Amino acid sequence: QQQVKQSPQSLIVQKGGISIINCAYENTAFDYFPWYQQFPGKGPALLIAIRPDVSEKKEGRFTISFNKSAKQFSLHIMDSQPGDSATYFCAARGDSGYSTLTFGKGTMLLVSP
Amino acid sequence: DAGVIQSPRHEVTEMGQEVTLRCKPISGHDYLFWYRQTMMRGLELLIYFNNNVPIDDSGMPEDRFSAKMPNASFSTLKIQPSEPRDSAVYFCATRLAVGTDTQYFGPGTRLTVL
């Protein structure tokens, strides 16, 4: 059973464009939604996170939009740069124990120069 | 701080051999998580510890997998005997108990079982 569904699997965006990655969840007990960024050969690293009491959080070129009623959240990367090329994982906390994260399957983003 | 340290970074072994992966957490972090990453299944949580005590090992795929945390500075994930389907990247991640939800991942161990 996939608790967090992420789409698309892969994405190609032109430099300067907007990258959008979507996630949907099923469990209403989830209360923390981070996005992790992973470069080849490295471990994932926290990029940005949101809690369900706000609908949007922005940090630089990265924005999370959160729709509690639809149980969906998305990552927007404005002015995408080749250096943003990486795999992005959405995640949610609160399912099996308050300490663990359930991850989406990841989106491989390629920003072409 | 050096971050989470994992060794080895790459491991190639033959089916049936024992494999031991090692993790040194960030000093002071109370939680330690072992994940497995594959293209098909993404990032899967295998087991996690709190203050060196295993809390949930429901993600461990089979009895061939075992994990220990003998002290706050060291954890191992052992596969015995290894099988080709165990080939994956294994990550260790750690977290403070309070004040943050952020998990810090190590660089991973790429395991290939021939």
Side-chain angles (χ1 to χ4, degrees):
Chain A
Q1 184 183 2
Q2 194 176 350
Q3 298 278 4
V4 179
K5 294 183 180 180
Q6 184 171 347
S7 62
Q9 278 189 305
S10 62
L11 182 62
I12 301 174
V13 174
Q14 295 267 2
K15 178 182 175 182
I18 302 173
S19 303
I20 301 174
I21 304 171
N22 300 298
C23 281
Y25 63 96
E26 299 167 2
N27 190 338
T28 54
F30 288 149
D31 66 351
Y32 169 71
F33 302 88
W35 285 88
Y36 279 73
Q37 179 188 53
Q38 183 182 25
F39 292 105
K42 306 289 187 184
L46 178 68
L47 180 65
I48 187 173
I50 197 168
R51 298 187 190 278
D53 53 344
V54 297
S55 60
E56 185 176 280
K57 183 173 182 180
K58 185 175 181 180
E59 289 184 1
R61 296 183 295 107
F62 301 91
T63 300
I64 300 178
S65 296
F66 186 81
N67 186 328
K68 189 174 182 178
S69 61
K71 293 189 283 186
Q72 295 175 346
F73 59 110
S74 59
L75 176 69
H76 296 237
I77 306 174
M78 311 300 288
D79 187 27
S80 299
Q81 299 296 312
D84 297 330
S85 297
T87 299
Y88 293 82
F89 294 92
C90 63
R93 186 198 69 177
D95 185 25
S96 57
Y98 220 59
S99 307
T100 63
L101 295 174
T102 300
F103 284 87
K105 288 196 172 183
T107 297
M108 195 175 301
L109 171 66
L110 176 64
V111 181
S112 59
Chain B
D1 199 324
V4 177
I5 299 173
Q6 290 188 247
S7 64
R9 293 294 312 276
H10 302 274
E11 176 81 30
V12 180
T13 190
E14 298 207 339
M15 183 174 63
Q17 296 298 305
E18 177 180 295
V19 175
T20 299
L21 312 181
R22 296 173 176 80
C23 175
K24 178 178 169 55
I26 295 172
S27 177
H29 282 202
D30 306 282
Y31 284 90
L32 185 141
F33 306 85
W34 280 102
Y35 291 91
R36 177 171 67 176
Q37 183 177 34
T38 61
M39 289 296 293
M40 288 296 294
R41 301 174 71 90
L43 266 171
E44 301 175 276
L45 177 65
L46 300 178
I47 184 172
Y48 78 97
F49 296 82
N50 180 20
N51 291 324
N52 314 336
V53 176
I55 303 300
D56 186 353
D57 66 354
S58 60
M60 297 284 261
E62 300 171 34
D63 290 344
R64 298 184 295 105
F65 286 69
S66 62
K68 294 182 180 180
M69 192 165 185
N71 56 62
S73 302
F74 185 64
S75 177
T76 60
L77 178 67
K78 186 176 293 187
I79 309 172
Q80 166 63 20
S82 58
E83 296 184 2
R85 60 194 167 121
D86 301 330
S87 297
V89 181
Y90 291 82
F91 287 102
C92 174
T94 69
R95 208 202 83 186
L96 286 167
V98 293
T100 178
D101 296 298
T102 303
Q103 291 188 17
Y104 295 85
F105 283 76
T109 295
R110 180 173 294 278
L111 173 65
T112 302
V113 183
L114 302 174

